[in-house]
Amino acid sequence: MPERQSSRKDAIRNRKAVLAAADALFARRESPEDVTMADVAAAAGVGKGTLFRAFGDRAGLLRALYEARLEPVGQAIETGPPPLGPATPPRERVPALLDAVLCFKLDNRRLALALEEDGNGSPYRAEHYERWHGLLRAVLEQIPGLTDSGFTAHALLAATRADLVEHLAGEEHMARESMRLQLANFVTRVLASGPPQGPADEE
């Protein structure tokens, strides 16, 4: 039993060391693709075998690091007070949720970009994307008169894609507060717009 407890403690300690090392590497490197599993293992002081056993592959490591970073935001959304918490009116909660996504990606630019670029297949089937989309769609469905909540959730989340955030912050040098304001204005316009008119409505 003591040996098993010691092994578990070692695994927890190694996991924390790996996540910290990966976090630091992604923050320093210019391109997410420059960070390899070998780099992370060396920085954490563990063997590559330990790394692969704990996380499976590079995508698994990215997801674990992303989830660890996102945990405070997730807690605020699930049980926190307004404007992120569940008691917030939907018209106020939608822009707050998107602002939280944008701020998270600004604070974790390299990590978010690496995760979105590293997925197998469609990025829209990634677990973290499906979770954000499902939450946003559910809140949008609470707004009277707003149709196509699923598509609207996709369109709003597209404004917070990591590659767009990287382009605006990096190449266009857009300030953080300016980006947040632009997003808030965009969300306000989307929520204020009524359902699209079809041919029958125009007659």
Side-chain angles (χ1 to χ4, degrees):
M1 184 67 70
E3 185 176 343
R4 182 179 300 175
Q5 290 178 345
S6 177
S7 177
R8 187 178 298 119
K9 288 180 181 178
D10 287 343
I12 294 173
R13 185 170 58 250
N14 286 341
R15 183 180 180 86
K16 288 181 178 179
V18 166
L19 292 178
D23 194 27
L25 285 170
F26 279 113
R28 290 200 306 264
R29 298 291 175 86
E30 190 66 27
S31 170
E33 295 179 358
D34 292 341
V35 180
T36 67
M37 292 289 270
D39 292 334
V40 175
V46 302
K48 285 180 65 176
T50 299
L51 197 61
F52 282 102
R53 282 193 298 273
F55 300 99
D57 55 15
R58 187 175 185 273
L61 172 60
L62 293 174
R63 287 193 297 270
L65 184 55
Y66 186 93
E67 292 299 332
R69 282 302 200 183
L70 193 61
E71 186 175 354
V73 180
Q75 290 178 349
I77 290 171
E78 291 177 9
T79 59
L84 286 179
T88 312
R91 285 190 179 273
E92 297 174 20
R93 197 179 186 200
V94 169
L97 289 171
L98 287 159
D99 184 65
V101 176
L102 175 61
C103 287
F104 178 82
K105 291 188 177 182
L106 283 168
D107 291 338
N108 299 273
R109 283 166 56 185
R110 299 292 186 267
L111 171 61
L113 190 61
L115 185 65
E116 291 187 10
E117 289 180 347
D118 207 67
N120 295 320
S122 170
Y124 301 103
R125 293 186 180 180
E127 181 181 350
H128 65 91
Y129 183 87
E130 290 182 343
R131 189 164 64 246
W132 278 116
H133 180 264
L135 171 63
L136 198 57
R137 181 181 59 199
V139 179
L140 287 167
E141 287 173 348
Q142 299 172 28
I143 299 178
L146 188 69
T147 59
D148 298 326
S149 59
F151 177 82
T152 302
H154 281 304
L156 291 173
L157 284 171
T160 68
R161 277 184 57 94
D163 53 358
L164 176 59
V165 170
E166 182 66 22
H167 172 74
L168 293 175
E171 296 183 29
E172 296 196 2
H173 306 291
M174 183 179 290
R176 179 190 186 94
E177 292 308 313
S178 177
M179 206 180 303
R180 293 178 68 190
L181 180 60
Q182 295 275 12
L183 178 62
N185 289 340
F186 172 64
V187 176
T188 298
R189 290 195 299 272
V190 170
L191 297 185
S193 63
Q197 290 188 339
D201 298 320
E202 296 172 356
E203 294 178 358

